[in-house]
Amino acid sequence: TRAIQPYSWTPVAAFLHDAPIGIGGYILFSPALGPVQKVDPNTFALTAVSHTDACAFSDMAQDGTIACFQGGSQTLNLIAPDGTSIPIQLAQPSNALNGDAYFSRDGQLVTVAGAYGNQNQERYATDLVAKQGGGPIRRIIVDGVRPSEALQAQTWLDDGSLVVYQPPGAAGGSLGLYVASP
């Protein structure tokens, strides 16, 4: 069974996704698991977001570029409004499980959250990818952290800092909320 559900409200727009109901299981990250629609906040009109039926949507930059994950792979795709795609092979083993990717306010960087380990002791990592050309990939200096699921795209602050955290029970680093400066 599937249902249209709210996905995110970003600086670009609000987004809905056609999500499976009751999929259960252990889910670390939350990219949209079905086609995504953009909501116009003035008219409430819905517009389908291209490519999200085959790629798990995470965020959209101001210029319309989307960040999404290719199913079953450790690949982040940055897809421009014209359909041009930049596939980015993510670092291993830190992205054995990948998920949340969020554009910086200026749209030039993308966070990529990854994890490896087992269900009782995940180890998180947050990488930064430059949108232009899809690289280079840099790891943020704080070990064992991920962007906040609650903040989603708002994890980027106005000055370019990034809010990240280490959840209880995760391996590496210390439990807490961190602000990583540019």
Side-chain angles (χ1 to χ4, degrees):
T1 305
R2 302 182 72 86
I4 302 296
Q5 298 181 1
Y7 176 69
S8 65
W9 190 306
T10 74
V12 173
F15 295 93
L16 304 175
H17 68 128
D18 185 5
I21 301 293
I23 61 173
Y26 184 67
I27 302 170
L28 286 180
F29 300 106
S30 58
L33 299 176
V36 172
Q37 297 177 64
K38 183 178 171 183
V39 180
D40 181 318
N42 297 314
T43 65
F44 303 110
L46 300 176
T47 305
V49 178
S50 298
H51 311 288
T52 58
D53 55 340
C55 194
F57 174 87
S58 193
D59 195 16
M60 180 183 283
Q62 292 285 349
D63 70 359
T65 300
I66 65 169
C68 64
F69 294 95
Q70 200 62 44
S73 72
Q74 281 71 45
T75 304
L76 171 69
N77 281 325
L78 300 179
I79 304 174
D82 68 2
T84 305
S85 179
I86 299 172
I88 299 164
Q89 190 65 34
L90 300 172
Q92 297 303 311
S94 62
N95 284 285
L97 297 170
N98 55 47
D100 308 327
Y102 306 118
F103 285 99
S104 59
R105 301 271 172 127
D106 66 5
Q108 298 308 303
L109 293 173
V110 182
T111 62
V112 180
Y116 61 101
N118 63 47
Q119 184 172 346
N120 299 318
Q121 250 329 238
E122 292 90 12
R123 184 176 188 101
Y124 293 97
T126 300
D127 294 333
L128 298 177
V129 176
K131 184 179 91 172
Q132 193 65 28
I137 297 174
R138 299 179 301 181
R139 171 84 24 97
I140 69 165
I141 195 93
V142 183
D143 189 35
V145 296
R146 63 182 286 179
S148 170
E149 299 147 302
L151 294 174
Q152 293 188 344
Q154 305 303 322
T155 197
W156 286 96
L157 302 177
D158 288 338
D159 70 354
S161 296
L162 188 62
V163 178
V164 292
Y165 79 108
Q166 182 175 48
S174 297
L175 172 69
L177 182 66
Y178 301 87
V179 177
S181 71

